[in-house]
């Protein structure tokens, strides 16, 4: 099971502004579509099946850093990794890069697990974290460390600029 899968996409004309740059709002679409592809391909997780059985996540926070412009017809790689979690939430880091590995943008997204019937947050089932090979069996392994991990990742991004 790959911890940081990467997939490649070609930037489409309709996703760009009149100057040929990838529209800021479209970065999130590319990132989230890549994460969905990674879940299905590398972890055998089909979000449609999960939703049908009531396992749902909503985005509760995005933070994005635009490092270098992305243009029409560029081929970009998107890498994603689970970097933190708690009883009811997950933080996923996604990096967009060109084919040579040059970083273009980075996104940190916090997903909150919700109950499909009530719309309220709920805790992960006991077997849920076994999906992550780094899990040590302790719940809330990263509780309180999410902010520190995010700051560390942001420092790395600053160095990439």
């Amino acid at each position: 099971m790959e911890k940081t899968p990467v997939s490649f996409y070609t930037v489409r004309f309709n996703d760009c502004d009149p100057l040929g740059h990838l529209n800021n709002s479209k970065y999130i679409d590319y990132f989230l579509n890549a994460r969905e592809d990674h879940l299905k391909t590398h972890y055998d997780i089909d979000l449609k099946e999960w939703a049908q059985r009531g396992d749902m996540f909503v985005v509760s926070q995005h933070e994005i850093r635009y490092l270098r412009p992305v243009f029409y017809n560029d081929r970009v790689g998107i890498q994603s990794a689970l970097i933190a979690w708690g009883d009811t939430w997950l933080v996923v880091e996604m990096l967009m890069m060109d084919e040579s590995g040059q970083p273009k943008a980075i996104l940190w997204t916090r997903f909150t697990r919700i109950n499909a019937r009530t719309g309220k947050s709920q805790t992960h089932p006991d077997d849920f974290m076994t999906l992550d090979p780094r899990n040590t069996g302790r719940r809330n392994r990263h509780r309180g460390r999410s902010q520190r991990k995010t700051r560390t990742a942001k420092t790395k991004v600053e160095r990439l600029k």
Side-chain angles (χ1 to χ4, degrees), residues 10 12 14 19 23 28 30 32 42 44 57-58 79 85 91-92 105 121 128 139 145 149 152:
T10 301
R12 302 291 175 206
N14 64 323
L19 299 176
N23 186 297
I28 292 173
Y30 278 80
L32 292 180
H42 298 278
D44 199 30
F57 287 87
V58 296
Q79 172 182 304
W85 63 85
V91 175
V92 176
S121 66
F128 177 73
R139 289 184 71 82
R145 292 174 47 198
K149 283 188 156 258
T152 301

Side-chain angles (χ1 to χ4, degrees), residues 89-137:
W89 53 270
L90 307 169
V91 175
V92 176
E93 179 179 83
M94 294 167 264
L95 175 66
M96 181 183 288
M97 63 199 113
D98 65 17
E99 289 182 295
S100 71
Q102 184 77 259
K104 297 291 191 169
I106 189 164
L107 174 71
W108 296 275
T109 299
R110 184 180 180 118
F111 296 94
T112 301
R113 178 184 279 279
I114 61 162
N115 180 299
R117 282 185 260 88
T118 66
K120 297 189 183 293
S121 66
Q122 69 178 20
T123 59
H124 302 301
D126 289 333
D127 65 344
F128 177 73
M129 292 316 294
T130 61
L131 296 171
D132 185 351
R134 296 169 295 174
N135 186 20
T136 63

